[in-house]
């Protein structure tokens, strides 16, 4: 449990959570090297705490503990409220799905359209800015003119358009409206990700003359 404001990122970044009451419940994860991955909180205006946690083989999280007053046990954008009988000290058991971010499957470009395809449906309400991306075409920066999130894809319109045979890379730094799935899990940053160039070669034109007899 935690109280007040806590930064759960031990690195140079910041990942603050602010407790809603005197104590809130938290679940956080770090990589094997100690790099911050995520932090989630559950809590109301009272005193809430956990006494035990377990994981299953699918990385789902099981928590048990006690809570006061009214608590939303959904750490995401939804709501799943429980109200303590008599006001406080009730026992709870909850299961949280595995917090897995969307995985990038492919990145392709055809002419002026660059498409990132992920393994799950994305949140259309969280569209990144064009400035969150760096596109290099043969080492020269291209401009991102538009970004559209639809289904499992993020489509960028870039200028100038890419020609057949050019080498393209993309980098992405999550900003205030990052690429994320419908559960609010953010896609990871990209650094120099190779892009498959599907722009067709220009059709060659042929010319000739016809002799008159």
């Amino acid at each position: 449990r935690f109280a007040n404001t806590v930064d759960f990122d031990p690195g140079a970044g910041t990942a603050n959570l602010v407790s809603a009451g005197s104590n809130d419940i938290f679940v956080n994860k770090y990589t094997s090297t100690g790099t911050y991955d995520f932090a989630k909180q559950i809590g109301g205006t009272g005193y809430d705490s956990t006494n035990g946690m377990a994981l299953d083989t699918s990385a789902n999280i099981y928590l048990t503990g006690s809570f006061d007053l009214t608590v939303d046990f959904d750490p995401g954008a939804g709501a799943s409220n429980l109200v303590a009988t008599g006001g406080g000290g009730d026992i709870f058991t909850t299961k949280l799905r595995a917090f897995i971010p969307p995985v990038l499957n492919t990145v392709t470009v055809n002419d002026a359209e660059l498409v990132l395809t992920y393994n799950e449906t994305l949140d259309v309400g969280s569209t990144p800015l064009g400035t969150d991306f760096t596109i290099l075409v043969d080492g020269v920066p291209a401009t991102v003119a538009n970004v559209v999130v639809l289904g499992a894809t993020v489509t960028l319109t870039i200028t100038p358009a890419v020609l057949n045979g050019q080498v393209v890379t993309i980098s992405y730094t999550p900003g205030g409206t990052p690429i994320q799935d419908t559960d609010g899990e953010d896609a990871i940053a990209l650094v120099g990700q190779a892009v498959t160039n599907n722009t067709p070669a220009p059709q060659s034109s042929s010319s000739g003359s016809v002799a008159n007899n």
Side-chain angles (χ1 to χ4, degrees):
R1 63 181 183 269
F2 74 101
N4 302 317
T5 301
V6 175
D7 178 9
F8 285 89
D9 186 346
T14 302
N16 286 338
L17 293 182
V18 180
S19 63
S22 58
N23 279 284
D24 276 14
I25 298 160
F26 72 89
V27 176
N28 66 324
K29 178 184 176 183
Y30 303 97
T31 67
S32 59
T33 59
T35 301
Y36 170 81
D37 191 343
F38 67 77
K40 306 290 183 180
Q41 74 184 96
I42 296 171
T45 57
Y47 184 96
D48 312 305
S49 66
T50 54
N51 297 321
M53 182 182 76
L55 297 175
D56 63 18
T57 55
S58 299
N60 295 306
I61 303 168
Y62 299 83
L63 301 173
T64 186
S66 62
F67 72 101
D68 292 343
L69 306 174
T70 300
V71 172
D72 176 11
F73 281 89
D74 184 346
S80 182
N81 290 330
L82 291 182
V83 180
T85 304
D90 277 20
I91 297 169
F92 75 86
T93 300
T94 187
K95 173 186 175 182
L96 305 177
R97 56 156 185 80
F99 295 106
I100 301 174
V103 176
L104 182 64
N105 283 339
T106 61
V107 191
T108 62
V109 67
N110 188 333
D111 195 50
E113 186 174 271
L114 189 151
V115 181
L116 301 95
T117 302
Y118 287 84
N119 69 329
E120 59 177 315
T121 301
L122 302 174
D123 179 7
V124 297
S126 186
T127 300
L129 301 176
T131 51
D132 294 340
F133 301 91
T134 300
I135 314 294
L136 298 180
V137 180
D138 283 345
V140 178
T143 300
V144 178
N146 192 41
V147 182
V148 176
V149 178
L150 182 64
T153 64
V154 180
T155 301
L156 312 181
T157 302
I158 62 175
T159 58
V162 174
L163 304 177
N164 175 264
Q166 289 187 305
V167 176
V168 183
T169 62
I170 182 171
S171 298
Y172 162 66
T173 302
T177 53
I179 300 170
Q180 62 182 20
D181 62 20
T182 53
D183 291 318
E185 297 303 315
D186 295 347
I188 64 172
L190 303 173
V191 179
Q193 172 75 42
V195 178
T196 301
N197 187 350
N198 291 332
T199 304
Q203 295 183 351
S204 58
S205 60
S206 58
S207 61
S209 61
V210 177
N212 293 320
N213 294 325

